[in-house]
Amino acid sequence: MTPQDNLPRIFQANTDRLFQRIVRPTLAAPPIHAVLTFGETGSMDDFLDRAAAQVDNYTANEAAKAFTLMLAGLFERQLRIWGRVRGLTMEKHKFGREPFREYLRLCAVEGGVDLDEAAIGDDLVEMFLVANVYRHGDGTSVKDLKAHAPDRWAYDSSRYVDLLPPNAEQSEQLLLQPADVVRYTAACARFWGRADTLDHAVRDPYYG
């Protein structure tokens, strides 16, 4: 066994601690309202309650996107560390500049990870695209994400209200739920669990 053999287990543990101690408790903080009510109100209190519910849903959506950006950054950094240690290179690309999706496939082959199993690859790519959309707004990642995960664009005003002034930005219609963040976390942990060659590797940690 070499020190690099410990990396997948360390990466999985670090991801899990971040999720359990920081992400999960915070995601549970703002309540999510299944239905938002519109129209005239009978009192100022009713109006303020409706407005507060809209803000709750918007805040929960923003928190989910922000945590996805954080998880994507963590996983990509881990992936590139592991790839460099394993000596994985791509022609015409410098270390750290490899396209994420291509480098993910390269690392998966090296680690014996089946990206089609448990939708690991799809979830990791979706996480990466969500992070790009959240960071940059409209651009090529919006088009890619719409093709890859159309359900993330199921804008339903009964569950979510855009609190920004009217604008044509498609990225502002991205709808993310806490369950999506859980799914992305599980994909990260499963990738490293499958790349872990040590005894008692946790291939399928549960985040339900």
Side-chain angles (χ1 to χ4, degrees), residues 75-76 79-80 82 88 90 98-115 119-128 148 187-188 191-192:
F75 179 78
E76 184 178 4
L79 191 72
R80 295 189 187 280
W82 188 77
L88 301 181
M90 295 180 66
E98 305 91 347
F100 173 77
R101 278 179 274 193
E102 287 82 353
Y103 201 63
L104 173 64
R105 287 193 291 268
L106 182 64
C107 290
V109 171
E110 175 71 14
V113 179
D114 183 356
L115 293 177
I120 293 173
D122 282 343
D123 287 341
L124 290 175
V125 169
E126 181 181 322
M127 173 185 70
F128 183 77
H148 186 85
C188 295
F191 182 95
W192 293 123

Side-chain angles (χ1 to χ4, degrees), residues 10-179:
I10 293 171
F11 291 155
Q12 186 187 59
N14 286 343
T15 300
D16 182 78
R17 281 190 286 264
L18 180 65
F19 179 78
Q20 300 293 0
R21 299 182 183 184
I22 305 298
V23 178
R24 188 192 288 277
T26 306
L27 284 176
I32 298 177
H33 305 269
V35 176
L36 296 177
T37 305
F38 302 92
E40 290 190 22
T41 62
S43 68
M44 179 58 72
D45 286 342
D46 190 19
F47 170 78
L48 293 175
D49 286 344
R50 292 184 185 184
Q54 293 178 11
V55 172
D56 286 341
N57 280 20
Y58 181 84
T59 303
N61 187 39
E62 285 295 301
K65 290 186 287 188
F67 278 129
T68 299
L69 174 61
M70 182 176 68
L71 287 167
L74 173 63
F75 179 78
E76 184 178 4
R77 191 175 80 245
Q78 292 172 338
L79 191 72
R80 295 189 187 280
I81 290 171
W82 188 77
R84 283 194 288 270
V85 167
R86 305 285 292 196
L88 301 181
T89 61
M90 295 180 66
E91 290 186 7
K92 301 180 181 179
H93 294 288
K94 296 180 180 180
F95 277 133
R97 296 295 183 91
E98 305 91 347
F100 173 77
R101 278 179 274 193
E102 287 82 353
Y103 201 63
L104 173 64
R105 287 193 291 268
L106 182 64
C107 290
V109 171
E110 175 71 14
V113 179
D114 183 356
L115 293 177
D116 292 327
E117 187 178 2
I120 293 173
D122 282 343
D123 287 341
L124 290 175
V125 169
E126 181 181 322
M127 173 185 70
F128 183 77
L129 290 173
V130 168
N132 276 350
V133 170
Y134 183 65
R135 180 169 49 219
H136 301 299
D138 281 13
T140 57
S141 290
V142 168
K143 181 179 178 180
D144 289 347
L145 182 57
K146 280 191 170 184
H148 186 85
D151 288 347
R152 303 289 74 75
W153 304 91
Y155 184 84
D156 182 352
S157 60
S158 68
R159 288 189 298 134
Y160 168 71
V161 171
D162 184 1
L163 297 184
L164 295 179
N167 66 87
E169 293 289 303
Q170 297 181 69
S171 56
E172 288 303 314
Q173 304 302 317
L174 173 60
L175 180 61
L176 218 63
Q177 301 294 314

Side-chain angles (χ1 to χ4, degrees), residues 180-191:
D180 297 314
V181 182
V182 173
R183 182 163 50 85
Y184 303 148
T185 303
C188 295
R190 286 170 179 160
F191 182 95

